[in-house]
Amino acid sequence: MTEYKGLGEVTGKRVLVRSDLNVPLDGTTITDDGRIRASVPTIKALADAGARVVVTAHLGRPKGEPDPAYSLAPVASRLAELLDRPVAFATDTVGASAQETVAALGDGEVALLENVRFNAGETSKDDAERGAFADQLAALADAFVSDGFGVVHRKQASVYDVAQRLPHAMGGLVATEIDVLRRLTVEPKRPYVVVLGGSKVSDKLGVIDNLLGKADKLLIGGGMVFTFLKAEGHEVGQSLLEEDQLDTVRSYQQRAQELGVEIVLPTDIVVADSFGDEASARVVPATDIPADTLGLDIGPESGKAFAAALADARTVFWNGPMGVFEQAAFAEGTHAVAEALTRVEGLSVVGGGDSAAAVRALGFDEDAFGHISTGGGASLEYLEGKELPGITVLEQGDS
């Protein structure tokens, strides 16, 4: 329990744990429990040490008031299964149910509070409103453990303000995430290859800008590749395109050339006349996309080329699928990259979000990767060199 040494003895203490349990739901059915499983070790370690564990988390984006569609009740059931112990569920966050549920906890027992974003104070931009809600959360506990890496880039009550009000420590999941990200930015082992996909270049501008001086190669796929292809003067048909980013992309290409960083683009693209399960897919050269089609995946030759570029890598960071992996016709590019990462002899990091969902949806063993991040947005902001409020507050010392 070295991660929690700042808390001292936790037996009998009420420990508020901010976890990231923001999982996708189909009604009340959890379709991917990866974040819940990643949260279990810290919760279990504290419970095994005799703490009275009070878990707080969010799900989705409710509008600051209760919404049954975003209830954490299904998560409480799954968490209990994974912990192999009961999990008491409070039907509110800081109200009567929360207070009664926490008061009833014995040593080594676990409770989950209802969605913290059902309270407007959680995400408020007003420091006083956010602080008032943090006071109510802090009143439920004797100490705080921050273990929701997916939200540490947010200045929110359960992430930032509570840590200012209670003795606090970094949870095991957050500690691991930060350690891995530092290895990606401070003297990474080389060759260092960054694979970027997803829909928009604008989502990755800061990462590209910061990693251009650190990586040896950047492999570009997904919807963002069409802005790169267009910047080189190629037809991209009806594919996703950010016209306002063309000059920025050209500047990155020029800078990469000056720094000796290789930007690798696909040489072939899987296109279709429409988007959907009935779409008829075909492969065309990346430089010759028909005007009436849209690109939905990198092609098979590009998949092989990307895999070859990863073959001798010693450090790899991958964020963003290569295509619309949810549809079999457009999943091969993402599959090729994921499979190549499993063979990397060094540090391979899957950067959360859609990339993490893809490796699970495509049937890969999670243990085949060096690290699968639980925080796509937080990972990207760290790699952009931004300050993460939820980490900065932990490093300021115990309250």
Side-chain angles (χ1 to χ4, degrees), residues 219-354:
L219 313 184
I220 307 294
M224 63 186 291
V225 76
F226 302 108
T227 304
F228 277 81
L229 291 171
K230 185 69 171 181
E232 293 186 347
H234 302 301
E235 171 67 53
V236 298
Q238 304 302 308
S239 307
L240 188 63
L241 175 65
E242 290 181 276
E243 293 270 6
D244 61 337
Q245 300 300 333
L246 291 173
D247 287 341
T248 302
V249 165
R250 292 186 186 107
S251 73
Y252 286 153
Q253 291 170 319
Q254 177 63 35
R255 189 170 151 215
Q257 188 174 12
E258 293 168 356
L259 293 170
V261 177
E262 184 181 1
I263 294 182
V264 182
L265 302 180
T267 57
D268 58 347
I269 297 289
V270 181
V271 302
D273 298 330
S274 63
F275 179 86
D277 293 329
E278 304 303 318
S280 178
R282 64 187 190 276
V283 179
V284 300
T287 56
D288 192 21
I289 297 173
D292 59 347
T293 66
L294 64 162
L296 296 169
D297 192 14
I298 64 172
E301 293 305 314
S302 299
K304 293 176 184 176
F306 280 23
L310 292 165
D312 66 344
R314 292 297 172 266
T315 303
V316 179
F317 174 70
W318 171 35
N319 183 277
M322 297 294 99
V324 186
F325 70 90
E326 297 90 346
Q327 297 180 32
F330 313 115
E332 286 306 308
T334 302
H335 190 283
V337 167
E339 188 171 48
L341 256 71
T342 67
R343 298 194 295 267
V344 170
E345 295 182 6
L347 176 63
S348 60
V349 180
V350 179
D354 288 341

Side-chain angles (χ1 to χ4, degrees), residues 105-144:
L105 285 177
D107 294 358
E109 294 184 343
V110 180
L112 174 63
L113 306 178
E114 182 56 284
N115 194 332
V116 72
R117 289 187 182 173
F118 284 179
N119 303 76
E122 167 68 1
T123 58
S124 176
K125 301 299 182 184
D126 181 86
D127 290 350
E129 183 180 9
R130 208 176 57 245
F133 178 53
D135 287 340
Q136 293 178 288
L137 278 173
L140 297 172
D142 304 304
F144 173 66

